[in-house]
Amino acid sequence: MKKSPARNMLLKKAPSKLLERINSSIDVDVRLFQEDIEASRVHCKMLIKTKIISLKDGKKIINGLQQILRDVKKDKIKLDSKFEDIHMNVEALLHSKIGPIAGKLHTGRSRNDQVVTDFKLWIKKHSQIIDDEIRKLQKALIKIAKRNTSTVMPGYTHLQIAQPVSLAHHCLAYVEMMGRNRSRISDCIKRLNESPLGAGALAGTSFPIDRKMTARLLGFSKPTINSIDSVSDRDFAVEFIFVLSLTGIHLSRLAEEIILWSSQHFNFVKLPDELSTGSSIMPQKKNPDGAELVRANASSVISNLNNILSLLKGLPLSYSKDLQDDKRLTFNTYDNVLLGLQVMAELMNKIKFNKKTMLQAVEESYATSTDLADWLVKKLHYPFREAYQITGKIVDYANSKNKSLSNMSLKELQKFDNNISNDIFRVLSPLNSMKSKNSLGGSAPETVKKSIQYVIKKYL
Ligand code: ARG
């Protein structure tokens, strides 16, 4: 049976089964396979250039690593939990390909700088995938917005109907949220973009390594400057998980709206059949399971954020094995949020809106009350507070008569103020109310059309 390349001579006994179980991370960090090989290849190139190892040995190592990579792609690799993690597995595989020369690869580095280098490379690569999936969701939302700048729906505060807005304007709110997430991802990557390779176990190394070279070849902007911080820093993982969990929370808010809107009480949307499920006993049911599970997944990602923060809070410098758990939390967050983004994009691409029902909900509410008060201010020059009082009385009356504002007669309105004239009815219609909100960032169709042009340019 092969021994782990890192097994220390001081340890007279083989690791117990239990230690193997708690120590092994290969099931999780197998996802760093490509990054580990890439970082090793670059490290080896540097060892050759600085003459720390000979060109002949270095070439053997690089060839061996390339063979492993090819085997990985062909699914021909067998990993062994005895070798703890991906780094020891790659080293053992290299050993089986090229013999003891494999042992030269680990000159001037440690698993502590190796793991954090691989992990940063992984996050960099996968942050682009997330960014792209967010863009796709934005695209789906913008597509809805383009067709619905004049589609009236109730705008809510406190989940009470507040003022008419357009479906386009509502969708663009999510486009903005998602845009901020993309910008957070790029900020996080900017800060992460320093190479820890060469920090060694924690103190640096006495070999004449070239950290600038490895940083450049791995695509980092520069090497990190403090070796102790380099191996103990996981702030970048916290930030990445934070950005993803906030994205997950935004997805959950959108999912919650879809769930509400698809209930019979709202009936604003028709869910795509392929993203809904039926009930096992109630034949009439169509459940929004896709959206519900996106909402549920947000709770896992919140826990992961909490988890990584508490993992770090008591750790003295520099590396401790607790840090191994960072990857489980990061990968789980990534998987959840990626899936959530894909589900919500498909949902938004396929959902159908019941425009009539949405308009009716506005008409049956008193969503244009503020417009009525504004009319009293503009036309009859009342101070706003007074206009607000008069409008309150009108709404109260309309409510008692079970009438909408636009269904009241001029005579009825004049009971509250003699000077009210016929042109008040123009502002009581939901569409006109919406059209009048032409302040910057407001819901008027013309304003929203401009916003659409803006977000297309900015995000797509
Ligand atoms: N598997 C370890 C991790 O993910 C690699 C670093 C091991 N370093 C050590 N000193 N045991 O953190």
Side-chain angles (χ1 to χ4, degrees), residues 25 29 84-85 87 111-112 115 234 319 321 323-324 326-327:
S25 59
D29 56 33
E84 271 185 60
D85 57 22
H87 323 292
R111 262 191 302 163
N112 294 352
V115 67
R234 293 297 182 276
Y319 177 85
K321 200 58 177 266
L323 292 176
Q324 179 162 278
D326 57 359
K327 288 170 285 299

